[in-house]
Amino acid sequence: MTWATCLPSSRYAAHVPSPEDAAARPAAPPNAIVGLVLNLLLPGAGFSYIGRWGWHLGWVVLMLALSAMGLILSRVIGLGLPIVLPFGGFLVMLVHYSRIYTQQEQGNFQPPLAAGVKVALIVAHVVGAALLASVMVPRLLATRMGTLDGAAGVVAVVVPASPLPSGGHSPESSGPDLPS
């Protein structure tokens, strides 16, 4: 290889895309798997990823409502499965996401959100998660500590002192009971 082949020439300049070409070329579609993972991490986040942020808000509200209904029904009816409704909601949400993604793929994906809107959404999620954690973590810890304290009391009540069998030792006697 000579020094002359390393220098730019007119034949290589034709292969360098111009800014106008980059603007005219359509953007790559969002990855469907990334959207599914986002939906698993935060209900509806995959919809925002493909430009359908209204569905994101709807699924967050729906999943919160399903979780609340599951908790209420588990306490009222006595079912020990409060996770059934939210789990069913997750399955329906993932099927809904795949259908919306397919519709978007056949047409055109909506344009991505502006940078300011993305930053606002990220900040809102971080603040919301921090508020939720600040409320939930102390309550969960208090509940756990209350359960542990209550369990210690139950153990003391459940294990009553029983009399020693006739051949047993007691601290007051020096040996086994002998017949007289």
Side-chain angles (χ1 to χ4, degrees):
M1 183 153 117
T2 65
W3 179 258
T5 57
C6 294
L7 296 175
S9 66
S10 62
R11 70 178 181 181
Y12 293 117
H15 297 293
V16 176
S18 68
E20 294 84 23
D21 292 338
R25 184 178 56 221
N31 189 339
I33 302 299
V34 172
L36 286 172
V37 170
L38 286 172
N39 277 330
L40 291 175
L41 295 175
L42 182 68
F47 290 99
S48 289
Y49 178 66
I50 62 173
R52 303 297 295 261
W53 61 270
W55 282 114
H56 180 161
L57 295 175
W59 276 107
V60 167
V61 170
L62 184 64
M63 292 303 290
L64 288 173
L66 287 174
S67 297
M69 284 184 0
L71 285 173
I72 291 169
L73 287 176
S74 70
R75 292 189 184 216
V76 170
I77 297 175
L79 291 175
L81 301 171
I83 195 148
V84 170
L85 287 176
F87 183 73
F90 264 111
L91 292 178
V92 171
M93 178 185 58
L94 294 177
V95 169
H96 182 230
Y97 172 79
S98 65
R99 289 186 177 189
I100 293 291
Y101 186 88
T102 304
Q103 287 175 357
Q104 295 278 98
E105 197 173 37
Q106 290 171 355
N108 288 328
F109 283 96
Q110 294 184 0
L113 298 173
V117 175
K118 286 182 182 180
V119 169
L121 283 173
I122 291 170
V123 168
H125 281 93
V126 168
V127 169
L131 287 174
L132 185 63
S134 68
V135 170
M136 293 301 295
V137 169
R139 289 186 181 192
L140 291 172
L141 289 175
T143 303
R144 180 171 182 246
M145 295 310 290
T147 303
L148 291 177
D149 292 342
V154 170
V155 171
V157 172
V158 172
V159 184
S162 61
L164 294 172
S166 62
H169 296 281
S170 67
E172 294 84 24
S173 68
S174 60
D177 293 335
L178 297 174
S180 24

